[in-house]
Amino acid sequence: MTGFLGTLEKLAPVALICGAGVLFARRKIIDATLSKAFSEFAFRFAIPAYLLGSFYRADLRQVFNPVAIAAYTTTAVLGMIVVATVARTVTRCDARATALRIMAACQVNTTYFAIPVFLLLFGDATPIFPVILLQVCVLTVVVIAIMESTGTPTDPEGTTGGVRRGLRAAVTTPIVVACYAGIAANLAHLPVPGWATDTLSMAGAAASPVALFALGLHLGGSGIRLRGTSSDEYWLVTMKCLLFPLLAFTLARYVFGIGAPWLTYLTLIAAMPAPQNLFIFAAQYDTDVDLAASVVIKTSVLALLLLPMWAALAH
């Protein structure tokens, strides 16, 4: 109980900053559409600055724990298989709708949720870095490949063109570029002047509150639809917020024999909500747009409520 209350107390700033964004949007103090501007600042500048500086200073042998990475990769693959099976056999989804559901249930909001939470709980977000690279450079490319499997009327290259675009987008994402640059500078023992590291630290300090406030603005402008929720939506929310983190915990502890602190890290990462770009993918491919928006909102709220429980279990 003490651990649960301690985690709840540490997560209070997450709820308060995110709640402030919701309040500002609901009261029309700041237009909810401006959440995109806050998000862009965090995504393209503040978070890459934090990641670049953190990777440069980190002990890479501790960050890239091979057993932990294998455990999380196994969790993601098994989760994708389960979701794809349900989508194809139970809800009779086509390829694109299946890919969207895989993304909703098996990918996590690392940028706007996980990094702020880890900074508050542990004072360090480096355990998330391997998952960011795995998710952006592998899992998202898989989703894009499935999305493009039927081709598009304006894309004569069909699947090949879609996969190529996915790979290009993955390796040029600001967050991934920052990670690669930080790793390269670390391995090369590149001397960096103090003013440069101070700049990265100052910019990175803004990442957590700005990302959370942007998420709050988004939630406040979107609202939460409870009536008319389909069984498909309930299943995805349950999978993301309950079954996926439970699978991560079970595999990490009982199959891979992982203990503290990585057991806590992996469980909490898996317990993060569906990624915000789920809605972007849904809109781009004109597939279940309302479902995607609702899942992002509901998993964000539910994940925040359940994080103390997962932290206590894994601890």
Side-chain angles (χ1 to χ4, degrees), residues 24 26 41 47 100 102-103 119 207 211 253 262 278 282 304:
F24 275 49
R26 290 290 179 87
F41 170 79
I47 291 175
L100 191 75
I102 288 173
M103 189 174 190
L119 286 175
R253 181 174 181 178
W262 274 99
L278 177 70
L304 183 58

Side-chain angles (χ1 to χ4, degrees), residues 17 36 38-39 91 97 117 142 155 191 223 230 233 239 247 258 282-283:
I17 296 173
K36 181 174 176 57
F38 285 94
S39 297
T91 55
V117 166
V142 170
D155 185 12
S230 66
E233 188 176 326
M239 178 67 185
L247 177 63
I258 297 174

Side-chain angles (χ1 to χ4, degrees), residues 139-182:
L139 302 183
T140 299
V141 173
V142 170
V143 168
I144 291 175
I146 298 174
M147 287 281 196
E148 295 284 347
S149 62
T150 57
T152 61
T154 58
D155 185 12
E157 295 181 290
T159 304
T160 303
V163 175
R164 187 180 296 116
R165 287 195 301 273
L167 288 169
R168 184 166 55 248
V171 298
T172 57
T173 299
I175 290 175
V176 175
V177 171
C179 291
Y180 289 156

Side-chain angles (χ1 to χ4, degrees), residues 110-126:
T110 54
T111 304
Y112 302 109
F113 207 98
I115 288 177
V117 166
F118 267 62
L119 286 175
L120 286 169
L121 288 179
F122 310 112
D124 181 20
T126 53

Side-chain angles (χ1 to χ4, degrees), residues 203-215:
S208 179
V210 171
L212 287 172
F213 190 76
L215 179 62

